[in-house]
Amino acid sequence: MTNRPVMLITGASRGIGAAVARAAAPTYDVLLDYAASSEAAHRLADELGAMGCRAEPVQADVGDEAQVLAMFDQLDTSFGRLDVLVNNAGIAGGYGTLDVVNGEMLARLWAVNITGAFICAREAAARMRTDRGGLGGSIVNISSKAAVLGGSGEWVYYAASKGALDTMTIGLSKELAAVGVRVNGVRPGLIESDFHLHAPPGRVERMAPIIPMQRSGTTDEVAPAVLWLASDAASYVTGTFIDVTGGR
Ligand code: NAP
């Protein structure tokens, strides 16, 4: 078993997940989940390794329960403990309005953004809860301000998936509070990342003026909120959310 606390970050190869991994590296050893970006995940693991962090990439589509179970097997074998789960992996589900919705696309969206987060939370809690021999721990769910706003006249299905994630955060925080597992959420606003490649070009620039701070945010501005909620500094904080939105 490693001596340093261990953080599992889903969707850690790029964007917000990679920024969380970089911010975590001085304190945590990390398991870096990715779906397809093997090269990026391995490059990140090398970068974090050079900082003295034990970082291991793992390929697992969180929308596939068998792959999630294999990921947790790798966690047990390689690290032997878990202190923090960051449920970050998420997809947009294509881009558009109600016209583009169909059953297949919604099923995949729910599978990754909701079911994946639930299964990861189940496996993490089973290892962390103090009534089953765990040491306690923390789950941080990466939601979106869209969960509250309902999207922006588009991407409503994506917003709805994050609404479900927020309900899960509140409910699990109560279910797991007495067994030493805190559950919180971070709701980013408009953050520069590949996520917006799913939208027509220029979306970030077009939306920036409606944000009170008049600009998009960076992944590095999201990561500290995740690290704080995960840390002992937030030991009396559960079932709550930090909005990282520039005031939106
Ligand atoms: P991103 O740059 O597109 O990165 C997405 C990450 O998730 C990648 O590492 C990707 O892995 C991984 N991923 C996607 N599908 C996966 C799956 N089925 N299984 C495992 N990993 C998967 O997006 P991001 O902006 O960093 O978004 C991260 C989270 O923040 C998401 O939950 C998103 O909904 C949320 N968020 C983003 C914004 C924003 O404006 N960017 C705002 C609010 C909330 P591969 O590289 O292998 O594909």
Side-chain angles (χ1 to χ4, degrees), residues 11 13-14 16 35-37 60-62 88 143 158 162 189 191 193 196:
S13 49
R14 296 181 282 125
I16 291 170
S37 301
D61 173 352
V62 298
N88 168 75
S143 173
Y158 166 75
K162 294 299 189 179
I191 305 298
S193 79
H196 300 282

Side-chain angles (χ1 to χ4, degrees), residues 127-186:
R127 286 158 177 79
M128 298 191 294
R129 49 191 300 162
T130 51
D131 61 337
R132 296 191 193 154
L135 300 171
S138 163
I139 297 173
V140 183
N141 294 320
I142 308 302
S143 173
S144 170
K145 188 68 183 190
V148 178
L149 298 173
S152 39
E154 59 193 12
W155 252 336
V156 173
Y157 36 88
Y158 166 75
S161 75
K162 294 299 189 179
L165 188 63
D166 283 5
T167 303
M168 175 187 125
T169 297
I170 295 164
L172 287 187
S173 73
K174 293 173 180 155
E175 185 176 327
L176 299 172
V179 294
V181 180
R182 296 182 300 104
V183 187
N184 292 290
V186 171

Side-chain angles (χ1 to χ4, degrees), residues 10-17 33-38 40 60-63 87-92 108 112-113 142-146 158 162 187-196 198 203 219:
T10 65
S13 49
R14 296 181 282 125
I16 291 170
D33 163 61
Y34 65 94
S37 301
S38 171
D61 173 352
V62 298
N87 263 326
N88 168 75
I91 56 173
R108 177 65 182 159
V112 175
N113 290 10
I142 308 302
S143 173
S144 170
K145 188 68 183 190
Y158 166 75
K162 294 299 189 179
R187 292 191 191 114
L190 188 71
I191 305 298
E192 292 154 38
S193 79
D194 292 348
F195 193 80
H196 300 282
H198 302 282
R203 179 173 189 265
T219 57

